[in-house]
């Protein structure tokens, strides 16, 4: 369906909602699959209308589409099953088990067996994991919180959770404009035209029969000026030309579709020629299904940070509760030093687990990797650098290691679902580990990826297939299949070593930004047609790029060879800097790292402190000293909920800072750890149900 046809569906949805066709509007939402009405979904879940809940979901996803979808359907059917058991309706429970839950047995047979065993209990709360199950109403509310997180994280719902920001009665306005235009074309326009039908074009020359109504009483036409003048549109105001549409990335392909939209002005192609900002919903009235462009306040809808693609989410008998994001005061930043961890060598890169918010990966300057449980302060894993199969590596790598065995970690990062993590080293290779919980990490792939250093690594899901993206000193970007390590693409075109990559997803388009040490920014599709954009980054040297958590805003941070640092937001529609953040008063003594959090704040390590900006304000908001002991350009990383901030220290350690939510999270984990140890001393506990794998 074309873009204009899609927009017409939105106009019809708005019209149906304004005319109170409630059942029809939700049917069209479901059939078109363009807009997932979260409020309607919430109401149906709270009311326990399970058939309608699944029917509505079915317009957007199926149970086996991805792990998010599977978890969504599992939670709904599990709740339906528990409610039947709670009512002692065994026959209904058996029916749900056989018809609805059986499908999950192929993914986790043990889980299905345990669910089946609930039928043998007089009260399913006798099961340890269901002992805290409350009443039906509270259980639905808890489940709904998790469902919303899963839906917002599910890539199939991307760009479907926000209704376009339209002025009220937009379809009526367009019809009004059309009728006025038709009236302008009449050879003998009447002062009070009689509009009886929209089925044919209006003409004053046609015999109308009945007396024309007064313009004041005509809801579509509004007031009609003297013939020849442009008609006014009544309550809707004068017609405002729509912004010039920007051609999508598909327009750069070999056979772009013919369109009648105005061409993009300017010589260079802007970022938005392949990227479009998702529209944002109204926050003035959270219960409003269809926001209006007349709203005084529009806010961005955050989705869970870091969960950009499919994820293997754990399945528990009880719904999981998460720390909630809050709009906290400006002085409620990550001031508290909640944990101090001794790594033993200088941290070069860190990353928090996308689901388990207190698991922290660390890579160091001597090639070591560590996995910390920040909640318990325990280092779960430490691995020294070692080539797994030296004989399979290139002679260039073998010779380089003989000449100088020193190796550093340039980047360490989790996959989107947290089941894998990748390590990019300063010598040729990347190593991919699989993570199986606790301290269980296993060797998965070792790839001799680049000649020279591998400067960055990332994960992405082009064509619903998990891939690994690397870049290196050999001026290339490469894409590898994450299961077998097969190389899928090599992107060439940079004239200097490639410093960083930033894969992203918008408008059903997967792409990669890359930056090189000559300051060039390029963008690539997963094809062999070359780069799509070519821009200069501020500083013209080491630059990294990152999107805000909701994917709507693009930032970069870079440091020049002279030590001048630049933190900027990009205007994607023009490929130009939108705003430059102030606060780098001195020349940086190293390359400044930055991170984003909660769709609201930017942070950078500079001048022995952590500097914080509000995304919407170029002035420095605050600085965090973390009780001192930070290097000149500390490495920093937020966890995905934005409650914890890891920062490297001069003594080869890590400080974990927490805001108010982070402090509560760590205290909760400490209490759980205490309760678990006390319980273990009293009785042998039953092992947790395994997640879907």
């Amino acid at each position: 369906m074309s873009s204009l046809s899609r927009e017409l569906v939105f106009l019809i949805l708005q019209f149906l909602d304004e005319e109170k066709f409630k059942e029809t509007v939700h049917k069209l939402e479901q059939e078109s699959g363009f807009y997932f009405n979260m409020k309607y979904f919430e109401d149906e879940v709270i009311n326990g209308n399970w058939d309608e809940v699944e029917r509505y979901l079915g317009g957007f996803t199926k149970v086996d589409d991805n792990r998010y979808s599977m978890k969504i359907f599992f939670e709904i059917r599990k709740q339906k099953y528990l409610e039947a058991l709670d009512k002692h309706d065994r026959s209904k429970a058996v029916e749900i088990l056989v018809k609805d839950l059986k499908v999950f047995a192929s993914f986790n047979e043990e889980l299905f067996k345990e669910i089946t065993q609930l039928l043998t209990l007089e009260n399913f709360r006798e099961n340890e994991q269901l002992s805290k199950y409350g009443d039906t109403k509270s259980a639905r509310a808890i489940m709904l919180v998790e469902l919303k997180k899963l839906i917002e994280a599910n890539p199939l719902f991307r760009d479907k959770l926000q209704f376009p920001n339209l002025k009220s009665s937009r379809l009526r306005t367009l019809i009004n404009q059309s009728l006025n235009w038709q009236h302008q074309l009449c050879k003998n326009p009447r002062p009070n035209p009689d509009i009886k039908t929209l089925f044919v074009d209006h003409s004053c020359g046609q015999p109308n029969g009945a007396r024309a109504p007064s313009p004041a009483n005509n809801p579509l036409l509004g007031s009609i000026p003297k013939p020849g003048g442009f008609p006014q549109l009544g309550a809707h105001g004068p017609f405002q030309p729509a912004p010039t549409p920007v051609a999508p990335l598909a327009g750069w392909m070999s056979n772009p579709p013919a369109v009648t939209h105005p061409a993009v002005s300017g010589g260079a192609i802007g970022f938005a020629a392949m990227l479009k900002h998702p529209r944002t919903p109204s926050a003035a009235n959270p219960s409003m299904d269809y926001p209006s462009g007349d709203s005084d306040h529009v806010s961005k809808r955050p989705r869970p940070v870091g969960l950009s693609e499919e994820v293997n989410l754990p399945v528990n008998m009880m719904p999981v509760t998460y720390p909630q994001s809050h709009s906290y005061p400006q002085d409620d930043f990550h001031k508290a030093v909640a944990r101090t961890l001794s790594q033993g060598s200088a941290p070069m890169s860190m990353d928090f687990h996308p689901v388990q918010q207190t698991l922290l990966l660390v890579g160091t300057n001597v090639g070591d990797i560590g996995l910390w449980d920040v909640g318990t302060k325990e280092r779960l894993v430490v691995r020294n650098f070692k080539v797994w199969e030296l004989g399979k590596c290139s002679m260039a790598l073998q010779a380089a290691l003989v000449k100088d065995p020193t190796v550093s970690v340039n980047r360490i990062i989790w996959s989107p679902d947290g089941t894998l993590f990748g390590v990019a080293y300063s010598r040729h290779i990347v190593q991919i580990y699989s993570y199986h919980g606790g301290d269980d990490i296993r060797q998965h792939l070792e790839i001799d990826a680049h000649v020279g250093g591998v400067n960055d690594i990332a994960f992405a899901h082009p064509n619903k297939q998990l891939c690994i993206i690397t870049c290196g000193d050999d001026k290339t970007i490469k894409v590898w299949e994450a299961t077998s390590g097969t190389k899928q693409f090599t992107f060439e075109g940079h004239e200097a070593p490639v410093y960083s990559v930033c894969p992203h997803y918008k408008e059903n388009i997967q792409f990669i930004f890359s930056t090189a040490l000559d300051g060039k920014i390029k963008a690539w599709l997963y094809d062999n047609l070359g780069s799509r954009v070519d821009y200069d980054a501020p500083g013209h040297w080491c630059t990294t790029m990152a999107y805000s958590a909701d994917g709507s805003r693009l930032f970069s941070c870079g440091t020049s060879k002279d030590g001048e640092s630049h933190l900027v937001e990009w205007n994607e529609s023009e490929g130009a800097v939108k705003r430059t953040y102030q606060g780098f008063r001195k020349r940086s003594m190293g390359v400044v790292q930055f991170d984003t959090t909660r769709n609201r704040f930017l942070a950078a390590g500079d001048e022995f402190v952590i500097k914080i900006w509000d995304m919407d304000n170029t002035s420095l908001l605050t600085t965090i000293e973390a009780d001192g002991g930070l290097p000149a350009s500390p490495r920093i990383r937020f966890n995905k909920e934005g409650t914890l901030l890891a920062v490297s220290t001069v003594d080869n350690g890590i400080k974990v800072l927490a805001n108010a939510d982070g402090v509560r999270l760590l205290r909760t984990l400490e209490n759980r750890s205490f309760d678990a140890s006390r319980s273990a001393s009293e009785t042998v506990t039953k092992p947790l149900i395994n997640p879907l794998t």
Side-chain angles (χ1 to χ4, degrees):
M1 182 176 288
S2 70
S3 175
L4 289 181
S5 296
R6 187 174 186 270
E7 291 182 2
L8 179 59
V9 172
F10 281 112
L11 295 179
I12 295 171
L13 284 171
Q14 183 194 45
F15 173 79
L16 292 173
D17 183 69
E18 291 173 342
E19 295 299 312
K20 310 301 181 185
F21 292 103
K22 292 300 183 182
E23 292 185 10
T24 306
V25 73
H26 299 313
K27 182 67 174 176
L28 181 55
E29 291 165 354
Q30 181 258 332
E31 286 191 336
S32 68
F34 291 157
Y35 173 59
F36 186 85
N37 191 324
M38 187 68 83
K39 184 178 184 304
Y40 173 68
F41 179 75
E42 292 175 10
D43 291 342
E44 295 303 299
V45 169
I46 292 299
N47 293 327
N49 297 329
W50 304 120
D51 290 344
E52 173 60 15
V53 167
E54 289 212 23
R55 185 198 67 80
Y56 191 71
L57 273 173
F60 302 87
T61 185
K62 305 301 180 187
V63 67
D64 58 351
D65 278 345
N66 58 39
R67 292 290 180 177
Y68 286 109
S69 300
M70 184 178 296
K71 183 74 159 57
I72 291 168
F73 280 98
F74 176 79
E75 290 297 328
I76 291 169
R77 295 176 183 181
K78 179 188 70 179
Q79 179 62 28
K80 183 167 61 169
Y81 176 65
L82 294 179
E83 290 183 14
L85 290 176
D86 208 21
K87 295 176 182 177
H88 301 287
D89 190 345
R90 302 284 174 174
S91 61
K92 181 66 174 177
V94 170
E95 179 184 350
I96 296 170
L97 187 69
V98 173
K99 291 185 177 181
D100 296 335
L101 290 170
K102 180 69 174 178
V103 66
F104 302 103
S106 59
F107 299 97
N108 193 327
E109 187 174 354
E110 291 301 317
L111 175 62
F112 181 73
K113 288 180 179 178
E114 185 154 355
I115 291 175
T116 303
Q117 289 172 2
L118 297 179
L119 287 167
T120 65
L121 303 178
E122 181 63 26
N123 185 339
F124 62 77
R125 293 171 180 82
E126 296 172 19
N127 182 287
E128 181 182 347
Q129 294 192 52
L130 295 171
S131 60
K132 295 183 180 180
Y133 184 98
D135 57 20
T136 297
K137 182 178 180 181
S138 61
R140 289 175 181 174
I142 292 172
M143 177 188 67
L144 182 59
V145 172
E146 186 176 7
L147 291 181
K148 290 172 66 177
K149 287 178 177 288
L150 292 167
I151 290 169
E152 290 173 342
N154 194 328
L156 295 178
F157 289 81
R158 188 111 7 108
D159 300 326
K160 296 181 180 180
L161 298 176
Q162 305 129 157
F163 198 83
N165 190 24
L166 306 175
K167 289 186 177 293
S168 59
S169 304
R170 178 61 181 159
L171 186 58
R172 289 183 179 274
T173 300
L174 292 176
I175 295 173
N176 189 3
Q177 294 164 359
S178 174
L179 291 173
N180 284 325
W181 174 75
Q182 292 174 32
H183 188 60
Q184 290 267 35
L185 298 180
C186 291
K187 293 182 178 179
N188 298 300
R190 299 178 182 177
N192 295 313
D194 183 10
I195 307 297
K196 284 188 173 183
T197 181
L198 299 176
F199 293 164
V200 296
D201 290 347
H202 162 71
S203 174
C204 290
Q206 296 176 347
N208 291 321
R211 180 180 178 85
S214 165
N217 297 327
N218 190 321
L220 292 176
L221 198 59
S223 59
I224 298 297
K226 295 179 180 180
F230 189 81
Q232 296 299 312
L233 301 177
H236 302 302
F239 172 68
Q240 298 293 328
T244 302
V246 182
L249 182 58
W252 302 354
M253 308 299 284
S254 56
N255 296 307
V259 294
T260 57
H261 295 175
V264 180
S265 60
I269 300 175
F271 284 143
M274 52 182 210
L275 318 175
K276 291 184 179 180
H277 288 289
R279 297 182 184 270
T280 55
S282 169
N285 182 357
S287 65
M288 185 183 298
D289 289 348
Y290 296 91
S292 164
D294 302 321
S295 302
D296 294 329
H297 182 78
V298 177
S299 67
K300 289 181 173 59
R301 175 194 58 78
R303 64 177 172 82
V305 183
L307 296 175
S308 60
E309 297 297 341
E310 294 183 17
V311 61
N312 294 319
L313 292 163
V315 175
N316 302 298
M317 294 290 286
M318 277 292 290
V320 180
T321 58
Y322 293 85
Q324 299 299 306
S325 298
H326 299 287
S327 179
Y328 46 81
Q330 290 185 357
D331 60 350
D332 186 19
F333 294 105
H334 303 71
K335 301 284 189 179
V337 178
R339 298 286 188 269
T340 300
L341 312 175
S342 179
Q343 179 62 36
S345 50
M348 300 298 291
S349 178
M350 300 177 288
D351 196 29
F352 280 97
H353 194 277
V355 178
Q356 302 180 52
Q357 295 294 307
T358 58
L359 285 184
L360 177 65
L361 272 175
V362 182
T364 78
N365 65 334
V366 296
D368 294 347
I369 62 171
L371 176 62
W372 291 86
D373 185 335
V374 173
T376 62
K377 311 177 191 177
E378 179 184 2
R379 181 158 63 178
L380 302 174
V381 174
V382 60
R383 292 283 189 278
N384 303 121
F385 172 74
K386 179 183 179 181
V387 178
W388 298 343
E389 296 186 75
L390 186 60
K392 293 184 178 180
C393 294
S394 65
M395 294 303 298
L397 172 57
Q398 296 182 45
L401 290 175
V402 170
K403 183 178 181 180
D404 182 2
T406 305
V407 175
S408 173
V409 172
N410 282 337
R411 183 72 183 273
I412 192 166
I413 189 170
W414 289 101
S415 66
D417 63 2
T419 59
L420 300 173
F421 66 86
V423 190
Y425 292 99
S426 59
R427 297 295 183 89
H428 291 246
I429 66 171
V430 297
Q431 292 178 339
I432 310 299
Y433 290 85
S434 60
Y435 180 60
H436 302 270
D439 60 357
D440 187 2
I441 68 170
R442 305 172 192 174
Q443 296 177 0
H444 178 62
L445 287 175
E446 184 174 62
I447 304 172
D448 192 345
H450 295 270
V451 178
V454 184
N455 296 321
D456 202 3
I457 183 173
F459 290 90
H461 275 86
N463 303 316
K464 298 185 178 180
Q465 181 182 44
L466 183 64
C467 290
I468 302 159
I469 303 166
T470 62
C471 65
D473 288 344
D474 57 5
K475 307 177 185 178
T476 66
I477 302 102
K478 298 181 181 181
V479 180
W480 316 82
E481 198 275 319
T483 301
S484 64
T486 303
K487 184 169 65 176
Q488 296 184 323
F489 298 100
T490 298
F491 300 137
E492 298 178 332
H494 278 293
E495 298 178 357
V498 186
Y499 181 72
S500 71
V501 288
C502 176
H504 198 58
Y505 171 105
K506 269 193 177 182
E507 296 285 331
N508 298 318
I509 299 172
Q510 296 272 1
F511 56 91
I512 305 167
F513 280 125
S514 61
T515 68
L517 290 183
D518 58 1
K520 291 295 184 183
I521 298 174
K522 294 182 181 291
W524 316 80
L525 288 179
Y526 293 86
D527 57 28
N528 296 308
L529 300 180
S531 66
R532 292 331 202 256
V533 301
D534 190 345
Y535 285 105
D536 291 321
H540 301 279
W541 199 42
C542 297
T543 297
T544 55
M545 305 184 78
Y547 276 89
S548 57
D550 61 4
S552 66
R553 302 174 71 172
L554 177 62
F555 302 90
S556 73
C557 183
T559 303
S560 71
K561 293 181 180 179
D562 296 328
E564 294 182 355
S565 293
H566 306 266
L567 178 61
V568 303
E569 179 178 5
W570 289 89
N571 183 331
E572 292 177 331
S573 65
E574 299 176 4
V577 172
K578 180 178 181 180
R579 56 169 61 88
T580 300
Y581 297 91
Q582 309 301 318
F584 296 103
R585 291 184 295 276
K586 301 177 182 178
R587 293 196 172 186
S588 302
M589 298 175 64
V591 176
V592 172
Q593 281 198 356
F594 86 114
D595 203 0
T596 73
T597 184
R598 295 194 173 191
N599 303 303
R600 180 176 176 186
F601 297 112
L602 300 166
D606 184 49
E607 294 186 86
F608 306 95
V609 298
I610 304 164
K611 298 179 177 180
I612 305 290
W613 291 264
D614 186 303
M615 289 180 177
D616 296 323
N617 193 323
T618 59
S619 298
L620 184 64
L621 188 57
T622 189
T623 60
I624 301 172
E625 296 183 359
D627 297 340
L630 304 186
S633 300
R635 313 288 174 163
I636 64 171
R637 192 67 167 173
F638 287 102
N639 72 344
K640 302 306 183 276
E641 291 286 348
T643 56
L644 303 176
L645 172 60
V647 56
S648 62
T649 62
V650 292
D651 57 355
N652 295 337
I654 302 158
K655 289 184 178 181
V656 179
L657 313 180
N659 63 10
D661 287 340
V663 170
R664 283 191 289 270
L665 170 63
L666 294 178
R667 286 176 180 170
T668 300
L669 294 174
E670 288 172 350
N671 293 336
R672 288 180 182 175
S673 177
F674 174 77
D675 291 342
S677 61
R678 182 175 63 180
S679 175
S681 66
E682 297 173 354
T683 183
V684 178
T685 58
K686 184 179 181 181
L688 292 176
I689 294 175
N690 294 325
L692 287 173
T693 56

